[in-house]
Amino acid sequence: MTAGGALVVLTASPAQAAVSCSGTITYSRTYGPGELTIFYNTSNGGTNSACFYHKGAAYGVAAPTYVRAYRCTQQSGEGEPCTVAASSSADSGNYAYYAGPRGVTGTANYCVAAIGYIDWQGYRYEISSGRQGC
């Protein structure tokens, strides 16, 4: 199962940042037992981080969970597919509360995107943000 926009990966150079699941929320979407949230702060020329949270019955229960953040080449087009200029590393594991944070720097004046999922009761609940913060 998938919710949200598309992601186009043409190039993915690392841009890992010191990030946290805090700051100004620029995107948040819940789908089934998961929620993808993107945060922004002004450090390092703009830093966006993403976390994928367990919600409802999945909260506190270990399940495969994943999140990754991207800086897009585009500077406009909210919700449209992201052509990736830089990518965080993925955070993937059997987590009980959330995956992340994962983040990218140099995002001021650029769109960002994130993707995350939780595998829950035989289904994959995936959210792809499309371009955000532009």
Side-chain angles (χ1 to χ4, degrees):
M1 296 187 171
T2 304
L7 182 70
V8 177
V9 177
L10 295 181
T11 176
S13 57
Q16 187 63 39
V19 296
S20 66
C21 291
S22 63
T24 302
I25 295 174
T26 60
Y27 175 87
S28 182
R29 180 160 186 190
T30 299
Y31 178 51
E35 178 181 53
L36 178 64
T37 304
I38 300 174
F39 301 90
Y40 177 77
N41 72 60
T42 58
S43 66
N44 299 311
T47 299
N48 283 86
S49 55
C51 294
F52 194 88
Y53 297 100
H54 291 209
K55 304 297 273 185
Y59 185 78
V61 180
T65 312
Y66 173 95
V67 72
R68 191 168 194 165
Y70 305 92
R71 182 178 71 234
C72 308
T73 61
Q74 296 90 355
Q75 296 178 308
S76 63
E78 192 105 353
E80 296 295 319
C82 171
T83 303
V84 176
S87 174
S88 71
S89 62
D91 186 19
S92 179
N94 206 29
Y95 299 124
Y97 298 99
Y98 63 92
R102 286 297 184 260
V104 288
T105 60
T107 59
N109 303 313
Y110 288 94
C111 304
V112 297
I115 189 167
Y117 67 76
I118 181 173
D119 289 338
W120 182 253
Q121 297 182 338
Y123 295 98
R124 174 163 288 176
Y125 294 89
E126 181 175 292
I127 302 170
S128 179
S129 70
R131 284 184 241 161
Q132 299 297 320
C134 34

